[in-house]
Amino acid sequence: ADRKKLHTAPVGQVFRLRPFHVLVATGGGYAGYRKYEDYKLEQLEKRGIEVPVKLASEWEVALYKSVPTRLLSRAWGRLNQVELPTWLRKPVYSLYIWTFGVNMKEAAVEDLHHYRNLSEFFRRKLKPQARPVCCLHSVISPSDGKILNFGQVKNCEVEQVKGVTYSLESFLGPRISTEEMHFSQAPPGNSFQQQLVTKEGNELYHCVIYLAPGDYHCFHSPTDWRVSHRRHFPGSLMSVNPGVARWIKELFCHNERVVLTGDWKHGFFSLTAVGATNVGSIRIYFDQDLHTNSPCYSKGSYNDFSFISNNNKEGIPMRKGEHLGEFNLGSTIVLIFEAPKDFKFHLKAGQKIRFGEALGSL
């Protein structure tokens, strides 16, 4: 008689699934499956077997986008900023070093106990002698990474990896007014690509560099140039590893990115930092107004900021090798620039490159 009554909810109520939970579970499971497929492709490439291009369908891209990567990236960013106990720092960082092949002998501070949290470890600085800047070539690599693709831009299309392209105009956005840039006015009937080329006889070139999680995460100025304008696209935060770049057409146009445009001695020059999963934080050192991976996200939107003002007619001057910005984990740098027809890249697709090494010259 003194027993307590046990109240139970109906089975249907206990196991009731909400659409959001189904979406996350399905999208997350599919993302995991894609990661496994990417791993198999990497193994085939290492064995020298050519992998045919197989693009994702619209529903596959939509399913991947259903994963709340922006929310997860913000959560990951906050987790990275949690201060670790001194006794835990060495085992945690050692596991990361072993997993991603980090070379700590290049770090300005090799003592792992010095880094209070994962964010500080990701953004570690290098010894001054670790990355000598090449003085013989006009364009150097702005970061450590892997060369995914390079060459001339043709028909307003840019290759993100071999055989997979994206639209130049979709990637950079509408052309900036000539009043803000040091460009000549192009005839309105010309294509978007032709409007970017300011000097007769020049061509438009591109280079894509993928930064892996174990790479040095800061990026630098690839040449002497002036930054006149910044355009920030909020976008998605899908993975940008080579396997996904081979699978999703216009991947870089979907993702959050910061486009810096300006000019160098040969005309138009741009550097774009592309965000990725867990890389919601893109920082540009001279741009304090930039805030990436904000909860206020409007699909298809972008915001502009001009560094040209009444007090500053030249924009932000950058010297070759100068610190420019940083990622919080690893992502992609895309260079799109104008140069004479005799410009030559000193690269091979798929090669590893380090900041300061030559990309190309005249």
Side-chain angles (χ1 to χ4, degrees):
D2 297 330
R3 290 178 183 176
K4 294 182 179 179
K5 292 182 179 180
L6 179 64
H7 296 277
T8 59
V11 175
Q13 182 176 342
V14 173
F15 294 101
R16 184 174 59 187
L17 294 176
R18 298 179 180 178
F20 176 76
H21 298 153
V22 174
L23 204 60
V24 170
T26 306
Y30 191 74
Y33 166 74
R34 286 307 314 173
K35 285 285 186 182
Y36 174 67
E37 289 293 310
D38 295 340
Y39 171 77
K40 291 198 300 183
L41 291 176
E42 288 177 6
Q43 297 304 309
L44 291 174
E45 286 184 342
K46 288 179 180 179
R47 292 161 55 187
I49 301 174
E50 187 173 349
V51 182
V53 174
K54 183 181 178 182
L55 294 177
S57 61
E58 290 185 9
W59 72 266
E60 287 178 309
V61 175
L63 187 57
Y64 190 1
K65 280 187 170 183
S66 71
V67 181
T69 51
R70 295 179 61 82
L71 178 62
L72 292 173
S73 296
R74 285 195 294 272
W76 176 252
R78 291 184 180 181
L79 179 63
N80 287 349
Q81 294 173 3
V82 174
E83 185 169 340
L84 297 176
T86 305
W87 61 269
L88 188 59
R89 294 174 188 177
K90 188 171 182 178
V92 170
Y93 301 147
S94 295
L95 177 62
Y96 187 91
I97 290 167
W98 176 78
T99 304
F100 296 109
V102 178
N103 184 3
M104 283 303 294
K105 291 182 179 179
E106 298 177 333
V109 180
E110 296 184 39
D111 182 11
L112 297 180
H113 296 100
H114 169 80
Y115 303 100
R116 295 173 297 177
N117 51 49
L118 282 166
S119 183
E120 285 189 2
F121 180 72
F122 293 147
R123 295 180 287 106
R124 63 192 177 277
K125 305 300 181 183
L126 299 181
K127 295 173 181 175
Q129 307 83 6
R131 298 289 187 276
V133 175
C134 177
C135 299
L136 301 177
H137 299 275
S138 53
V139 184
I140 62 169
S141 176
S143 66
D144 289 7
K146 179 181 180 180
I147 301 295
L148 294 189
N149 217 304
F150 62 92
Q152 283 190 18
V153 178
K154 298 180 179 178
N155 301 321
C156 294
E157 292 282 321
V158 186
E159 280 196 319
Q160 58 191 29
V161 294
K162 186 178 180 181
V164 183
T165 62
Y166 56 93
S167 163
L168 179 65
E169 186 169 6
S170 297
F171 181 69
L172 295 178
R175 187 167 181 263
I176 302 159
S177 67
T178 55
E179 295 177 0
E180 295 183 16
M181 311 293 286
H182 302 278
F183 299 160
S184 60
Q185 181 67 48
N190 285 6
S191 68
F192 182 82
Q193 178 179 336
Q194 292 171 327
Q195 291 179 33
L196 295 180
V197 177
T198 64
K199 298 180 181 179
E200 188 176 352
N202 281 3
E203 296 288 349
L204 208 60
Y205 297 87
H206 74 100
C207 182
V208 183
I209 305 171
Y210 167 69
L211 289 74
D215 287 329
Y216 168 56
H217 298 128
C218 296
F219 51 93
H220 301 245
S221 176
T223 191
D224 296 334
W225 64 308
R226 294 175 297 182
V227 184
S228 304
H229 189 271
R230 177 258 291 162
R231 176 169 285 162
H232 173 217
F233 293 83
S236 303
L237 285 173
M238 295 184 284
S239 171
V240 293
N241 74 55
V244 177
R246 188 184 296 107
W247 178 56
I248 297 181
K249 183 178 174 63
E250 298 202 335
L251 171 65
F252 299 153
C253 298
H254 290 296
N255 271 17
E256 180 158 20
R257 59 197 181 278
V258 177
V259 182
L260 300 178
T261 52
D263 63 297
W264 69 319
K265 60 183 178 181
H266 300 296
F268 173 80
F269 198 96
S270 73
L271 180 149
T272 302
V274 183
T277 308
N278 296 335
V279 195
S281 174
I282 302 172
R283 182 184 174 194
I284 304 298
Y285 294 138
F286 58 75
D287 189 353
Q288 301 303 316
D289 296 322
L290 175 66
H291 301 286
T292 57
N293 196 10
S294 168
C296 301
Y297 163 54
S298 178
K299 184 178 180 181
S301 67
Y302 64 84
N303 57 77
D304 288 333
F305 184 85
S306 175
F307 299 108
I308 302 293
S309 64
N310 293 332
N311 298 325
N312 180 10
K313 301 291 185 181
E314 299 297 320
I316 308 295
M318 296 297 301
R319 304 296 297 176
K320 184 167 64 173
E322 186 178 350
H323 278 84
L324 181 55
E326 63 188 34
F327 293 110
N328 219 357
L329 186 61
S331 191
T332 298
I333 295 286
V334 179
L335 301 179
I336 298 175
F337 57 93
E338 174 186 358
K341 291 183 178 180
D342 56 351
F343 181 86
K344 300 293 183 183
F345 282 103
H346 304 287
L347 302 171
K348 292 181 180 179
Q351 79 172 72
K352 290 289 291 182
I353 198 166
R354 304 202 302 178
F355 155 61
E357 296 179 346
L359 282 186
S361 62
L362 297 170

